[in-house]
Amino acid sequence: MLTMLAKILKVLNSQASPWQIGWAIALGLFAGILPLGLLTLLILLIVCLLTVNLSTFIVVWGLTEGLMLLFATPLENLTWQYAQNDTLLQVLANTETLQLLHLHHTLTLGAFVLGAILLLPVAWLSKVLVMQYRSRVMSSVQKWKLTQMLKASKLFALYEKLN
C-alpha cells in the first residue's frame, strides 16, 4: 500500500506532462471498462504508440477492472434496454468487423460507448487536476511526515536506484 502511494506521488511529482498523465488515466479507464478482447488490445497498442505514463495506465486499468466486477451487470442491463433497435442489432450481428470486436455483445457495446463518452472529459479533467496538484498541493505534500518517511526508507532508495 505504501509503495503504491509512493509510486502515485512519484508520478505526480515527476516531470511528466500533465497531458501524459491525463491520457494515461483516460486510456486506463477505457481499457478497464472494456472486457478483455481485441478492443482492449487496440487500446494497449495506442498506449504503446503514444507517450503516456505507463505505470499510471496500469494502475488505473487494474482499479477499473476491479470496479467493473460490480458494475458489469447494471451496464449490460442498461445497454440491453437501449439496444432494442432491430436495425442496430442486425448491423452488429452481421458485420464481420464488429463481430471481431465483439460489439454484438451488450456488455462490450455498452462499455465501448461509455468509454468513448468518458475518454476526452476524463483526460482533460485529469490534466487539470494534475496541474492543480502541482501548483497548490505538491509543496505541502513534500513536508508530510509520511512522505519524508517513505523517502527515507531503504525500499524507496532501492526503487530510486533502479529507476
Side-chain angles (χ1 to χ4, degrees):
M1 178 73 175
L2 289 178
T3 56
M4 182 184 264
L5 178 63
K7 287 179 184 179
I8 291 170
L9 288 175
K10 184 174 181 176
V11 167
L12 289 174
N13 295 333
S14 72
Q15 295 299 318
S17 162
W19 275 115
Q20 289 175 339
I21 298 170
W23 279 110
I25 291 170
L27 289 169
L29 180 75
F30 200 174
I33 289 173
L34 289 170
L36 191 61
L38 188 59
L39 284 171
T40 309
L41 293 177
L42 288 173
I43 292 174
L44 282 173
L45 178 65
I46 290 169
V47 166
C48 290
L49 293 175
L50 297 177
T51 307
V52 298
N53 191 291
L54 192 59
S55 61
T56 305
F57 170 79
I58 292 170
V59 167
V60 172
W61 184 13
L63 291 174
T64 309
E65 282 286 340
L67 286 175
M68 281 307 291
L69 293 174
L70 298 173
F71 296 116
T73 304
L75 179 62
E76 188 172 13
N77 293 337
L78 184 67
T79 306
W80 183 248
Q81 285 178 343
Y82 288 105
Q84 291 297 317
N85 185 343
D86 290 334
T87 308
L88 174 66
L89 293 175
Q90 284 180 347
V91 168
L92 291 173
N94 295 330
T95 307
E96 291 180 20
T97 306
L98 298 178
Q99 283 182 354
L100 186 62
L101 297 174
H102 292 281
L103 288 176
H104 60 286
H105 295 287
T106 53
L107 178 60
T108 307
L109 178 64
F112 179 75
V113 170
L114 180 64
I117 290 171
L118 292 177
L119 186 66
L120 290 176
V122 167
W124 179 79
L125 182 64
S126 300
K127 179 206 80 127
V128 169
L129 290 176
V130 168
M131 289 174 57
Q132 291 297 318
Y133 168 81
R134 287 180 178 174
S135 67
R136 295 184 180 180
V137 181
M138 188 165 69
S139 60
S140 63
V141 168
Q142 297 294 333
K143 297 175 187 173
W144 288 355
K145 295 290 184 189
L146 178 64
T147 307
Q148 292 172 357
M149 184 177 68
L150 285 172
K151 285 186 174 183
S153 71
K154 291 181 181 180
L155 180 64
F156 188 79
L158 178 64
Y159 180 73
E160 284 289 320
K161 186 188 284 187
L162 292 175
N163 285 334

